[in-house]
Amino acid sequence: MSRFSADTPKERRKLVMDAITAHRERGSPFCTLLAEYDFEPAEMEGEPESDDEWEGEDERDSEDDAEVEEAPPWIQFGDQTLNLDCTDEELDRLKNLLREFPAFKIEQLESPEEAEGTNVRISAKADVNRIAQFVEQSLQTVYECPKSTTVWAVEV
């Protein structure tokens, strides 16, 4: 594998296919794909119209920082299985997306008490192209990533 990131739908799908192929050729336990994009909360877009808009901002800074510092979406693939973490809302969107991919089935849901969200393991008994399509659709539909999202193959 000679490149490790892509930022258009077509290139992201190709990157996923290349990463899975490299993972299989190396016999590694899994490959990990990480989405990266600039997050700007809607309420923070643009400049304030007056100083009054920034009143109380200090109290909200820690909450806003927590949202911005959330871990970016990631998807792992190994042994015909996709592994990803979802919030409750993302899990609902994932279940809806799976209707379009009948060869993909949820095998395990795990929601540890100390974690916010659910770890999902999905059997992916499909060719590498279909898996890449699923990963791309997951980024767009489940995680609602912007079209300009960069995907990194961070572990192969």
Side-chain angles (χ1 to χ4, degrees), residues 38-49 53-54 57 64:
D38 291 328
F39 175 78
E40 187 172 325
E43 65 270 13
M44 297 300 289
E45 290 177 1
E47 293 296 316
E49 291 182 20
E53 283 189 46
W54 293 108
E57 197 62 36
D64 290 344

Side-chain angles (χ1 to χ4, degrees), residues 1-155:
M1 231 177 109
S2 60
R3 64 188 179 84
F4 296 94
S5 69
D7 58 10
T8 67
K10 182 178 180 180
E11 288 299 311
R12 286 191 297 261
R13 287 189 303 271
K14 179 152 179 24
L15 177 69
V16 171
M17 292 187 319
D18 291 347
I20 290 172
T21 301
H23 145 73
R24 288 176 172 163
E25 288 173 355
R26 294 174 184 186
S28 63
F30 53 83
C31 65
T32 304
L33 304 157
L34 180 71
E36 176 183 76
Y37 57 89
D38 291 328
F39 175 78
E40 187 172 325
E43 65 270 13
M44 297 300 289
E45 290 177 1
E47 293 296 316
E49 291 182 20
S50 70
D51 289 339
D52 294 338
E53 283 189 46
W54 293 108
E55 274 186 35
E57 197 62 36
D58 292 335
E59 293 97 36
R60 290 190 304 260
D61 278 349
S62 60
E63 291 174 26
D64 290 344
D65 289 346
E67 284 182 36
V68 173
E69 291 176 16
E70 270 186 26
W74 56 268
I75 299 175
Q76 288 182 324
F77 175 82
D79 195 29
Q80 299 280 10
T81 302
L82 291 161
N83 181 31
L84 49 115
D85 286 343
C86 297
T87 64
D88 291 341
E89 295 81 20
E90 291 165 344
L91 182 57
D92 289 340
R93 292 191 295 263
L94 176 63
K95 288 177 179 178
N96 287 330
L97 176 64
L98 285 167
R99 293 182 184 131
E100 298 174 31
F101 292 84
F104 294 69
K105 306 266 187 254
I106 293 177
E107 293 293 324
Q108 181 180 5
L109 297 172
E110 188 174 336
S111 300
E113 286 185 30
E114 67 276 1
E116 291 183 31
T118 303
N119 179 261
V120 184
R121 296 180 66 79
I122 300 169
S123 66
K125 295 182 172 96
D127 65 30
V128 70
N129 184 46
R130 192 68 173 149
I131 294 168
Q133 291 171 2
F134 180 80
V135 169
E136 176 64 22
Q137 285 298 314
S138 295
L139 294 173
Q140 298 300 311
T141 305
V142 176
Y143 295 111
E144 298 178 330
C145 293
K147 297 272 187 221
S148 61
T149 296
T150 299
V151 170
W152 289 87
V154 295
E155 191 165 349

